Amino acid sequence: MSTFLAVRQVRRPQGTPSAEDFTVVTESLPALADGQVLVENVYLSVDPYMRQLMNTGEAGTEGRAIGRVVESRAPELPIGTTVFHRAGWSTHAVAAAEEVRRVHQAEGVPLSAYLGVLGGTGLTAFVGLTRIAALQPGEDLFVSAAAGGVGSAAGQIARLMGAGRIIGSAGSAAKVAHLKEIGFDAAFDHRAGPVGEQLAQAAPDGIDVYLDNVGGDHLAAAIDALRPHGRIAWSGAVAQYSSAPPAAPHNLADVMFKSLRLEGFLVREHLDARERFERFLVPHVQNGTVRASETVVDGFENVVEAFLGVLRGDNIGKMLVRVTSTED
């Protein structure tokens, strides 16, 4: 094999991206240097944050993937090793040993979970709840975009942490039903009416913690609902990725008046939490207490459509592309 397929961005979108912003190219595989491996990708991750990368022309060149080593000049990574890397949307990747991380797949856990509930997605939820918001047993939680990868993980992790009432917003009736299936106490369709009114109805006594994946009207609604000394862990702002940023929430001053704490975070700055995270969550995925909520699209040729689907909200749970039919 001397070539591979890759998705490349060809133009920067104005507003909502389209398939015409990308192309699929055939490129030559370079010869391996000492310390490098050739990885055949099994799963690719497509995530909302990649919309921001499109503003600099980098979408597709950076992206999480899991694959298996098919050629190696790194003794510590022999052929057949399962690895995680961030080399982007392609069928194969050449990477230095220090650029990949060995994946130790636990018995009974699907490989795809290591890009979803046990990957950076789940780690984002875990860090947001434990380190940033410091959710305590009995506290009430609101999660926006709760049927997405981070949100669905957050609700289930919060339940394991002993949270009180867990409330989620989603973008359809089917997603609302899914949230109730995986343990949310209440959920609402944010398209069905004003977010603030629906949150007030779902949490009439208020909330203690808000995990924000959306921003905009969801953030304003959460500020209204938060009790004094409440916390906001802000991990995403999907509401503004393809449009002009909204004006600041009208009630932003309540952050001061209620003594709230709002903190944004990037999971890449908390990778030291991974070992603790996996020790905590793997047993619950193995016994089925935590579901690996995911939407899997088959075929590398469908990478772009899967990405556009994430931005439209087509997915329930983590959106993944299965590149090969390699069994887990």
Side-chain angles (χ1 to χ4, degrees):
M1 183 184 63
S2 60
T3 62
F4 69 101
L5 299 177
V7 172
R8 297 290 182 248
Q9 184 181 339
V10 294
R11 68 181 186 186
R12 299 179 186 179
Q14 300 297 317
T16 303
S18 68
E20 289 70 33
D21 298 327
F22 299 91
T23 191
V24 176
V25 299
T26 300
E27 298 185 353
S28 298
L29 281 168
L32 293 186
D34 288 342
Q36 289 186 323
V37 293
L38 173 62
V39 180
E40 180 181 27
N41 291 326
V42 179
Y43 288 102
L44 302 177
S45 176
V46 291
D47 300 283
Y49 79 87
M50 293 177 174
R51 171 60 185 87
Q52 292 177 292
L53 295 182
M54 293 189 74
N55 294 333
T56 57
E58 298 175 294
T61 59
E62 197 281 346
R64 303 172 183 136
I66 284 179
R68 294 197 171 93
V69 174
V70 293
E71 186 179 342
S72 176
R73 293 191 63 180
E76 67 272 33
L77 296 171
I79 291 173
T81 304
T82 302
V83 296
F84 165 91
H85 65 82
R86 302 186 68 107
W89 297 341
S90 59
T91 57
H92 297 75
V94 172
E98 61 269 20
E99 295 173 336
V100 306
R101 173 173 53 83
R102 186 190 290 259
V103 174
H104 299 283
Q105 187 178 357
E107 183 178 355
V109 175
L111 185 59
S112 58
Y114 289 89
L115 278 180
V117 70
L118 290 173
T121 299
L123 183 59
T124 298
F126 181 78
V127 167
L129 294 175
T130 60
R131 286 189 170 179
I132 308 302
L135 178 71
Q136 299 300 306
E139 290 190 322
D140 297 327
L141 170 71
F142 172 48
V143 181
S144 56
V150 173
S152 59
Q156 296 182 88
I157 291 170
R159 179 63 65 216
L160 295 175
M161 293 174 63
R165 190 167 171 79
I166 302 173
I167 301 141
S169 71
S172 71
K175 291 182 178 183
V176 167
H178 172 73
L179 293 181
K180 294 179 180 178
E181 288 175 7
I182 63 173
F184 281 73
D185 295 292
F188 60 85
D189 179 356
H190 67 80
R191 303 179 196 275
V195 174
E197 293 178 9
Q198 295 195 79
L199 178 56
Q201 183 175 4
D205 298 324
I207 58 174
D208 301 291
V209 171
Y210 172 46
L211 182 65
D212 192 6
N213 297 298
V214 175
D217 57 353
H218 280 73
L219 177 56
I223 290 173
D224 273 344
L226 278 161
R227 301 172 182 131
H229 302 283
R231 288 92 66 204
I232 301 168
W234 199 349
S235 64
V238 70
Q240 65 186 63
Y241 288 160
S242 293
S243 59
H250 68 278
N251 54 355
L252 192 60
D254 281 348
V255 172
M256 171 184 60
F257 294 130
K258 290 176 157 185
S259 299
L260 306 179
R261 180 164 60 83
L262 186 158
E263 182 176 350
F265 69 101
L266 298 172
V267 71
R268 65 173 180 244
E269 296 177 355
H270 297 272
L271 298 182
D272 61 304
R274 179 178 299 283
E275 184 177 349
R276 177 186 166 215
F277 161 67
E278 290 191 357
R279 284 199 311 268
F280 170 77
L281 202 59
V282 165
H284 297 289
V285 177
Q286 288 176 310
N287 66 24
T289 305
V290 169
R291 288 173 51 179
S293 298
E294 58 187 26
T295 299
V296 179
V297 174
D298 279 304
F300 181 77
E301 68 277 10
N302 295 314
V303 170
V304 171
E305 181 55 32
F307 170 60
L308 299 179
V310 166
L311 298 181
R312 291 192 300 263
D314 293 349
N315 56 301
I316 291 180
K318 176 72 174 178
M319 178 76 92
L320 299 171
V321 175
R322 183 161 38 213
V323 181
T324 71
S325 58
T326 304
E327 293 296 321
D328 293 351

